[in-house]
Amino acid sequence: MATIADRAVLITGSNRGIGRALVAEALRRGAGRVYAAARQPLPADDARVTPLTLDITSPEQIRAAAEQVESLDVLVNNAGIARYDDLSDGEVLQEHLAVNVLGVLGVTQAFLPQLIRSGGAVVNNVSILAFAPLPLIASYSASKAAAFSVTQSLRSSLGTQGVSVHAVLTGTVDTDMTRGFDIPKASPESVAAGIFDGLEKDEEDIFPDEESAVIADSWRNGTAKAFERERSGLARAARAAS
């Protein structure tokens, strides 16, 4: 994808943090239409913005949102939750999986017809915690590891339909989730710019901030990434033979 200019972009979790910054960055880059989706969407202050009410755990709201969007070039699955926990309560893990994994998958599937028609892109905001968990937010870390695996699988399956799939491996960002931590943090605005930079460069795995960029080369050139490519190739060959 050479540019965001004139494209139709849908961003979930758009009412705060990274999501809100992504809306502003898409507009700054000349997006033709931005669908700003959230459970409580903000009023639009730009004619190019269409607010969408969307709880990504609600199949009904997902279907209703998909019916409102005639064409789409980029879907950014940004909505998510993070709770402090130590895996002692299984319901907390289930809640994270419902939003951060199943919600992302449900939204992606609902908008696939539009994305296939446009030869578009899916961008899933994951986390470097997909690689190594932070035990203070264990369920969040586990759900992001699952979301990364789902993203890799979708990359293989949707690539044959002309849809590219990108994982965003964010480091620590200055959002509500990290407000209690006195540690270096990237701004949501810089991360949003890094995400669209990576998308426009067609990077499969996007490392949009200084913390995550430290591991970018070792991941892209490492054994695990090579193994992903090998498995993906086997899957494509199996589908072609069936």
Side-chain angles (χ1 to χ4, degrees):
M1 180 164 294
T3 178
I4 297 296
D6 300 322
R7 307 280 183 159
V9 182
L10 190 150
I11 300 162
T12 67
S14 66
N15 58 346
R16 61 180 184 171
I18 297 173
R20 191 168 184 176
L22 282 165
V23 171
E25 183 65 19
L27 294 172
R28 190 186 71 80
R29 293 181 185 231
R33 174 63 53 193
V34 177
Y35 296 96
R39 285 180 295 178
Q40 296 179 328
L42 297 173
D45 56 4
D46 188 299
R48 293 172 291 166
V49 176
T50 300
L52 287 179
T53 300
L54 179 57
D55 177 346
I56 67 170
T57 66
S58 168
E60 294 78 13
Q61 288 194 17
I62 292 174
R63 282 194 296 269
E67 289 172 358
Q68 295 179 61
V69 177
E70 182 175 344
S71 63
L72 186 64
D73 298 294
V74 181
L75 168 63
V76 184
N77 284 307
N78 170 73
I81 62 165
R83 307 273 190 268
Y84 293 103
D85 82 305
D86 59 3
L87 296 179
S88 60
D89 185 346
E91 290 186 1
V92 177
L93 177 57
Q94 290 176 1
E95 181 184 15
H96 282 79
L97 294 173
V99 177
N100 297 346
V101 182
L102 297 177
V104 168
L105 185 58
V107 171
T108 301
Q109 290 172 333
F111 286 95
L112 266 184
Q114 294 94 318
L115 293 168
I116 291 171
R117 285 198 299 269
S118 68
V122 176
V123 182
N124 291 339
N125 191 5
V126 189
S127 168
I128 58 172
L129 298 185
F131 295 137
L134 178 61
L136 291 171
I137 45 176
S139 288
Y140 174 84
S141 301
S143 70
K144 288 300 185 178
F148 188 34
S149 182
V150 166
T151 301
Q152 292 169 307
S153 293
L154 287 173
R155 177 179 295 155
S156 175
S157 62
L158 298 185
T160 60
Q161 300 178 69
V163 177
S164 64
V165 180
H166 309 260
V168 178
L169 288 308
T170 51
T172 307
V173 186
D174 190 12
T175 62
D176 292 344
M177 187 182 83
T178 64
R179 190 153 293 161
F181 292 97
D182 186 17
I183 55 176
K185 307 170 189 176
S187 69
E189 293 76 17
S190 66
V191 169
I195 290 171
F196 283 129
D197 284 344
L199 177 61
E200 291 181 344
K201 294 174 185 175
D202 198 29
E203 295 174 353
E204 285 188 343
D205 302 309
I206 301 169
F207 297 82
D209 55 89
E210 290 186 6
E211 182 182 6
S212 66
V214 170
I215 62 174
D217 287 342
S218 62
W219 167 253
R220 290 171 177 152
N221 301 312
T223 303
K225 184 64 180 178
F227 192 57
E228 177 197 336
R229 295 190 184 104
E230 178 189 340
R231 300 292 93 177
S232 179
L234 289 175
R236 287 195 299 270
R239 284 193 291 268
S242 62

PDB file of all heavy atoms in Angstrom, residues 6 26 31 45 53 61 93 96 103 107 120 122 124 142 147 153 164 169-170 191 199 202-203 209-210 217 237-238:
ATOM      1  N   ASP A   6      -6.583   9.193   0.180  1.00  0.00           N
ATOM      2  CA  ASP A   6      -7.801   8.852  -0.562  1.00  0.00           C
ATOM      3  C   ASP A   6      -8.368   7.478  -0.225  1.00  0.00           C
ATOM      4  O   ASP A   6      -9.351   7.055  -0.844  1.00  0.00           O
ATOM      5  CB  ASP A   6      -7.569   8.945  -2.077  1.00  0.00           C
ATOM      6  CG  ASP A   6      -7.144  10.336  -2.514  1.00  0.00           C
ATOM      7  OD1 ASP A   6      -7.670  11.312  -1.953  1.00  0.00           O
ATOM      8  OD2 ASP A   6      -6.273  10.440  -3.392  1.00  0.00           O
ATOM      9  N   ALA A  26      -4.534   9.289  10.162  1.00  0.00           N
ATOM     10  CA  ALA A  26      -5.123   8.940   8.864  1.00  0.00           C
ATOM     11  C   ALA A  26      -5.619  10.188   8.147  1.00  0.00           C
ATOM     12  O   ALA A  26      -5.426  10.348   6.928  1.00  0.00           O
ATOM     13  CB  ALA A  26      -6.258   7.942   9.056  1.00  0.00           C
ATOM     14  N   ALA A  31      -6.527  10.576   4.156  1.00  0.00           N
ATOM     15  CA  ALA A  31      -7.529   9.523   3.963  1.00  0.00           C
ATOM     16  C   ALA A  31      -8.824  10.128   3.445  1.00  0.00           C
ATOM     17  O   ALA A  31      -9.259  11.201   3.867  1.00  0.00           O
ATOM     18  CB  ALA A  31      -7.774   8.789   5.283  1.00  0.00           C
ATOM     19  N   ASP A  45     -15.405  15.820  14.032  1.00  0.00           N
ATOM     20  CA  ASP A  45     -15.106  17.235  13.797  1.00  0.00           C
ATOM     21  C   ASP A  45     -14.465  17.433  12.428  1.00  0.00           C
ATOM     22  O   ASP A  45     -13.881  18.471  12.139  1.00  0.00           O
ATOM     23  CB  ASP A  45     -14.203  17.797  14.896  1.00  0.00           C
ATOM     24  CG  ASP A  45     -12.904  17.007  15.054  1.00  0.00           C
ATOM     25  OD1 ASP A  45     -12.680  16.076  14.256  1.00  0.00           O
ATOM     26  OD2 ASP A  45     -12.136  17.330  15.970  1.00  0.00           O
ATOM     27  N   THR A  53     -20.856   3.133  16.062  1.00  0.00           N
ATOM     28  CA  THR A  53     -21.007   2.478  17.365  1.00  0.00           C
ATOM     29  C   THR A  53     -20.672   1.003  17.194  1.00  0.00           C
ATOM     30  O   THR A  53     -21.317   0.299  16.413  1.00  0.00           O
ATOM     31  CB  THR A  53     -22.441   2.643  17.892  1.00  0.00           C
ATOM     32  OG1 THR A  53     -22.726   4.038  18.042  1.00  0.00           O
ATOM     33  CG2 THR A  53     -22.601   1.935  19.237  1.00  0.00           C
ATOM     34  N   GLN A  61     -23.770  -5.810  16.656  1.00  0.00           N
ATOM     35  CA  GLN A  61     -23.172  -4.513  16.335  1.00  0.00           C
ATOM     36  C   GLN A  61     -22.122  -4.643  15.234  1.00  0.00           C
ATOM     37  O   GLN A  61     -21.964  -3.732  14.415  1.00  0.00           O
ATOM     38  CB  GLN A  61     -22.562  -3.883  17.592  1.00  0.00           C
ATOM     39  CG  GLN A  61     -23.596  -3.386  18.581  1.00  0.00           C
ATOM     40  CD  GLN A  61     -23.008  -2.485  19.650  1.00  0.00           C
ATOM     41  OE1 GLN A  61     -21.910  -1.958  19.517  1.00  0.00           O
ATOM     42  NE2 GLN A  61     -23.756  -2.297  20.734  1.00  0.00           N
ATOM     43  N   LEU A  93      -9.321 -14.055  32.154  1.00  0.00           N
ATOM     44  CA  LEU A  93      -8.689 -14.514  30.917  1.00  0.00           C
ATOM     45  C   LEU A  93      -9.723 -14.640  29.804  1.00  0.00           C
ATOM     46  O   LEU A  93      -9.487 -14.231  28.661  1.00  0.00           O
ATOM     47  CB  LEU A  93      -7.990 -15.848  31.155  1.00  0.00           C
ATOM     48  CG  LEU A  93      -7.341 -16.493  29.916  1.00  0.00           C
ATOM     49  CD1 LEU A  93      -6.322 -15.566  29.273  1.00  0.00           C
ATOM     50  CD2 LEU A  93      -6.708 -17.825  30.291  1.00  0.00           C
ATOM     51  N   HIS A  96     -10.509 -11.253  28.341  1.00  0.00           N
ATOM     52  CA  HIS A  96      -9.459 -10.772  27.443  1.00  0.00           C
ATOM     53  C   HIS A  96      -9.509 -11.485  26.094  1.00  0.00           C
ATOM     54  O   HIS A  96      -9.354 -10.854  25.040  1.00  0.00           O
ATOM     55  CB  HIS A  96      -8.080 -10.961  28.084  1.00  0.00           C
ATOM     56  CG  HIS A  96      -7.742  -9.927  29.105  1.00  0.00           C
ATOM     57  ND1 HIS A  96      -8.224  -9.962  30.390  1.00  0.00           N
ATOM     58  CD2 HIS A  96      -6.971  -8.813  29.022  1.00  0.00           C
ATOM     59  CE1 HIS A  96      -7.762  -8.921  31.063  1.00  0.00           C
ATOM     60  NE2 HIS A  96      -7.001  -8.206  30.253  1.00  0.00           N
ATOM     61  N   GLY A 103     -12.955 -10.947  19.329  1.00  0.00           N
ATOM     62  CA  GLY A 103     -13.499  -9.699  18.796  1.00  0.00           C
ATOM     63  C   GLY A 103     -12.773  -9.262  17.540  1.00  0.00           C
ATOM     64  O   GLY A 103     -13.394  -8.856  16.544  1.00  0.00           O
ATOM     65  N   VAL A 107     -14.592  -9.049  13.788  1.00  0.00           N
ATOM     66  CA  VAL A 107     -14.613  -7.823  12.987  1.00  0.00           C
ATOM     67  C   VAL A 107     -13.945  -8.067  11.639  1.00  0.00           C
ATOM     68  O   VAL A 107     -14.456  -7.649  10.585  1.00  0.00           O
ATOM     69  CB  VAL A 107     -13.918  -6.678  13.748  1.00  0.00           C
ATOM     70  CG1 VAL A 107     -13.724  -5.462  12.838  1.00  0.00           C
ATOM     71  CG2 VAL A 107     -14.731  -6.278  14.975  1.00  0.00           C
ATOM     72  N   GLY A 120      -7.461  -4.893   0.006  1.00  0.00           N
ATOM     73  CA  GLY A 120      -7.071  -4.058   1.125  1.00  0.00           C
ATOM     74  C   GLY A 120      -6.161  -4.730   2.142  1.00  0.00           C
ATOM     75  O   GLY A 120      -5.503  -5.733   1.856  1.00  0.00           O
ATOM     76  N   VAL A 122      -5.516  -5.647   6.518  1.00  0.00           N
ATOM     77  CA  VAL A 122      -5.926  -5.770   7.912  1.00  0.00           C
ATOM     78  C   VAL A 122      -4.705  -5.474   8.771  1.00  0.00           C
ATOM     79  O   VAL A 122      -3.627  -6.039   8.550  1.00  0.00           O
ATOM     80  CB  VAL A 122      -6.447  -7.190   8.227  1.00  0.00           C
ATOM     81  CG1 VAL A 122      -6.785  -7.323   9.709  1.00  0.00           C
ATOM     82  CG2 VAL A 122      -7.657  -7.519   7.364  1.00  0.00           C
ATOM     83  N   ASN A 124      -3.583  -5.476  12.712  1.00  0.00           N
ATOM     84  CA  ASN A 124      -3.949  -5.861  14.071  1.00  0.00           C
ATOM     85  C   ASN A 124      -2.944  -5.304  15.069  1.00  0.00           C
ATOM     86  O   ASN A 124      -1.745  -5.618  14.998  1.00  0.00           O
ATOM     87  CB  ASN A 124      -4.011  -7.389  14.203  1.00  0.00           C
ATOM     88  CG  ASN A 124      -5.169  -7.976  13.425  1.00  0.00           C
ATOM     89  OD1 ASN A 124      -6.133  -7.280  13.106  1.00  0.00           O
ATOM     90  ND2 ASN A 124      -5.092  -9.259  13.118  1.00  0.00           N
ATOM     91  N   ALA A 142      -1.300 -13.075  27.514  1.00  0.00           N
ATOM     92  CA  ALA A 142      -1.701 -14.330  26.874  1.00  0.00           C
ATOM     93  C   ALA A 142      -2.618 -14.067  25.681  1.00  0.00           C
ATOM     94  O   ALA A 142      -2.494 -14.704  24.623  1.00  0.00           O
ATOM     95  CB  ALA A 142      -2.397 -15.232  27.887  1.00  0.00           C
ATOM     96  N   ALA A 147      -3.565 -13.431  19.823  1.00  0.00           N
ATOM     97  CA  ALA A 147      -3.914 -12.521  18.730  1.00  0.00           C
ATOM     98  C   ALA A 147      -2.817 -12.493  17.667  1.00  0.00           C
ATOM     99  O   ALA A 147      -3.105 -12.389  16.466  1.00  0.00           O
ATOM    100  CB  ALA A 147      -4.162 -11.119  19.268  1.00  0.00           C
ATOM    101  N   SER A 153      -1.931 -16.569  11.068  1.00  0.00           N
ATOM    102  CA  SER A 153      -2.760 -17.502  10.310  1.00  0.00           C
ATOM    103  C   SER A 153      -3.593 -16.770   9.263  1.00  0.00           C
ATOM    104  O   SER A 153      -3.727 -17.225   8.117  1.00  0.00           O
ATOM    105  CB  SER A 153      -3.667 -18.291  11.254  1.00  0.00           C
ATOM    106  OG  SER A 153      -2.910 -19.154  12.084  1.00  0.00           O
ATOM    107  N   SER A 164      -3.734  -8.177   2.494  1.00  0.00           N
ATOM    108  CA  SER A 164      -2.532  -8.281   3.314  1.00  0.00           C
ATOM    109  C   SER A 164      -2.904  -8.139   4.788  1.00  0.00           C
ATOM    110  O   SER A 164      -3.855  -7.445   5.138  1.00  0.00           O
ATOM    111  CB  SER A 164      -1.508  -7.212   2.925  1.00  0.00           C
ATOM    112  OG  SER A 164      -2.014  -5.908   3.176  1.00  0.00           O
ATOM    113  N   LEU A 169       3.498  -4.647  16.608  1.00  0.00           N
ATOM    114  CA  LEU A 169       4.094  -5.085  17.862  1.00  0.00           C
ATOM    115  C   LEU A 169       4.528  -3.857  18.646  1.00  0.00           C
ATOM    116  O   LEU A 169       5.666  -3.392  18.550  1.00  0.00           O
ATOM    117  CB  LEU A 169       5.284  -6.016  17.605  1.00  0.00           C
ATOM    118  CG  LEU A 169       5.010  -7.432  17.087  1.00  0.00           C
ATOM    119  CD1 LEU A 169       3.985  -8.162  17.944  1.00  0.00           C
ATOM    120  CD2 LEU A 169       4.592  -7.459  15.633  1.00  0.00           C
ATOM    121  N   THR A 170       3.603  -3.294  19.410  1.00  0.00           N
ATOM    122  CA  THR A 170       3.877  -2.068  20.142  1.00  0.00           C
ATOM    123  C   THR A 170       4.647  -2.346  21.430  1.00  0.00           C
ATOM    124  O   THR A 170       4.472  -3.377  22.081  1.00  0.00           O
ATOM    125  CB  THR A 170       2.573  -1.350  20.515  1.00  0.00           C
ATOM    126  OG1 THR A 170       1.702  -2.293  21.142  1.00  0.00           O
ATOM    127  CG2 THR A 170       1.889  -0.777  19.301  1.00  0.00           C
ATOM    128  N   VAL A 191       3.294   6.564  17.758  1.00  0.00           N
ATOM    129  CA  VAL A 191       2.986   5.176  17.436  1.00  0.00           C
ATOM    130  C   VAL A 191       2.036   5.099  16.237  1.00  0.00           C
ATOM    131  O   VAL A 191       2.206   4.269  15.340  1.00  0.00           O
ATOM    132  CB  VAL A 191       2.394   4.453  18.661  1.00  0.00           C
ATOM    133  CG1 VAL A 191       1.812   3.101  18.286  1.00  0.00           C
ATOM    134  CG2 VAL A 191       3.466   4.282  19.735  1.00  0.00           C
ATOM    135  N   LEU A 199       2.717   0.265   7.416  1.00  0.00           N
ATOM    136  CA  LEU A 199       1.734  -0.213   6.457  1.00  0.00           C
ATOM    137  C   LEU A 199       2.087   0.247   5.053  1.00  0.00           C
ATOM    138  O   LEU A 199       2.034  -0.533   4.088  1.00  0.00           O
ATOM    139  CB  LEU A 199       0.339   0.283   6.843  1.00  0.00           C
ATOM    140  CG  LEU A 199      -0.790  -0.076   5.882  1.00  0.00           C
ATOM    141  CD1 LEU A 199      -0.956  -1.589   5.750  1.00  0.00           C
ATOM    142  CD2 LEU A 199      -2.100   0.569   6.331  1.00  0.00           C
ATOM    143  N   ASP A 202       4.591  -1.742   3.529  1.00  0.00           N
ATOM    144  CA  ASP A 202       4.175  -3.136   3.386  1.00  0.00           C
ATOM    145  C   ASP A 202       4.962  -4.069   4.308  1.00  0.00           C
ATOM    146  O   ASP A 202       5.318  -5.184   3.932  1.00  0.00           O
ATOM    147  CB  ASP A 202       4.297  -3.600   1.936  1.00  0.00           C
ATOM    148  CG  ASP A 202       3.471  -4.867   1.670  1.00  0.00           C
ATOM    149  OD1 ASP A 202       2.449  -5.055   2.354  1.00  0.00           O
ATOM    150  OD2 ASP A 202       3.857  -5.657   0.795  1.00  0.00           O
ATOM    151  N   GLU A 203       5.207  -3.612   5.538  1.00  0.00           N
ATOM    152  CA  GLU A 203       5.880  -4.456   6.517  1.00  0.00           C
ATOM    153  C   GLU A 203       4.868  -5.426   7.125  1.00  0.00           C
ATOM    154  O   GLU A 203       3.833  -5.014   7.635  1.00  0.00           O
ATOM    155  CB  GLU A 203       6.508  -3.603   7.615  1.00  0.00           C
ATOM    156  CG  GLU A 203       7.623  -2.694   7.118  1.00  0.00           C
ATOM    157  CD  GLU A 203       8.147  -1.755   8.192  1.00  0.00           C
ATOM    158  OE1 GLU A 203       7.548  -1.709   9.293  1.00  0.00           O
ATOM    159  OE2 GLU A 203       9.158  -1.074   7.936  1.00  0.00           O
ATOM    160  N   ASP A 209       7.683   1.877  17.566  1.00  0.00           N
ATOM    161  CA  ASP A 209       8.232   2.762  18.590  1.00  0.00           C
ATOM    162  C   ASP A 209       9.639   2.311  18.949  1.00  0.00           C
ATOM    163  O   ASP A 209      10.087   1.232  18.547  1.00  0.00           O
ATOM    164  CB  ASP A 209       7.336   2.762  19.837  1.00  0.00           C
ATOM    165  CG  ASP A 209       7.116   1.360  20.375  1.00  0.00           C
ATOM    166  OD1 ASP A 209       7.918   0.898  21.205  1.00  0.00           O
ATOM    167  OD2 ASP A 209       6.133   0.705  19.947  1.00  0.00           O
ATOM    168  N   GLU A 210      10.349   3.131  19.720  1.00  0.00           N
ATOM    169  CA  GLU A 210      11.756   2.851  20.018  1.00  0.00           C
ATOM    170  C   GLU A 210      11.934   1.549  20.797  1.00  0.00           C
ATOM    171  O   GLU A 210      12.870   0.782  20.545  1.00  0.00           O
ATOM    172  CB  GLU A 210      12.370   4.013  20.802  1.00  0.00           C
ATOM    173  CG  GLU A 210      12.557   5.281  19.978  1.00  0.00           C
ATOM    174  CD  GLU A 210      13.289   6.353  20.750  1.00  0.00           C
ATOM    175  OE1 GLU A 210      13.747   6.066  21.880  1.00  0.00           O
ATOM    176  OE2 GLU A 210      13.415   7.472  20.228  1.00  0.00           O
ATOM    177  N   ASP A 217      14.822  -6.231  14.008  1.00  0.00           N
ATOM    178  CA  ASP A 217      15.722  -6.956  13.108  1.00  0.00           C
ATOM    179  C   ASP A 217      15.894  -8.409  13.539  1.00  0.00           C
ATOM    180  O   ASP A 217      15.916  -9.316  12.698  1.00  0.00           O
ATOM    181  CB  ASP A 217      17.085  -6.268  13.044  1.00  0.00           C
ATOM    182  CG  ASP A 217      17.042  -4.973  12.243  1.00  0.00           C
ATOM    183  OD1 ASP A 217      16.079  -4.775  11.473  1.00  0.00           O
ATOM    184  OD2 ASP A 217      17.963  -4.150  12.393  1.00  0.00           O
ATOM    185  N   ALA A 237       0.453 -24.344  -0.278  1.00  0.00           N
ATOM    186  CA  ALA A 237       0.586 -25.482  -1.189  1.00  0.00           C
ATOM    187  C   ALA A 237      -0.528 -26.499  -0.965  1.00  0.00           C
ATOM    188  O   ALA A 237      -1.073 -27.065  -1.932  1.00  0.00           O
ATOM    189  CB  ALA A 237       1.955 -26.143  -0.996  1.00  0.00           C
ATOM    190  N   ALA A 238      -0.884 -26.726   0.309  1.00  0.00           N
ATOM    191  CA  ALA A 238      -1.951 -27.677   0.622  1.00  0.00           C
ATOM    192  C   ALA A 238      -3.282 -27.179   0.082  1.00  0.00           C
ATOM    193  O   ALA A 238      -4.076 -27.959  -0.461  1.00  0.00           O
ATOM    194  CB  ALA A 238      -2.019 -27.895   2.127  1.00  0.00           C
TER     195      ALA A 238
END
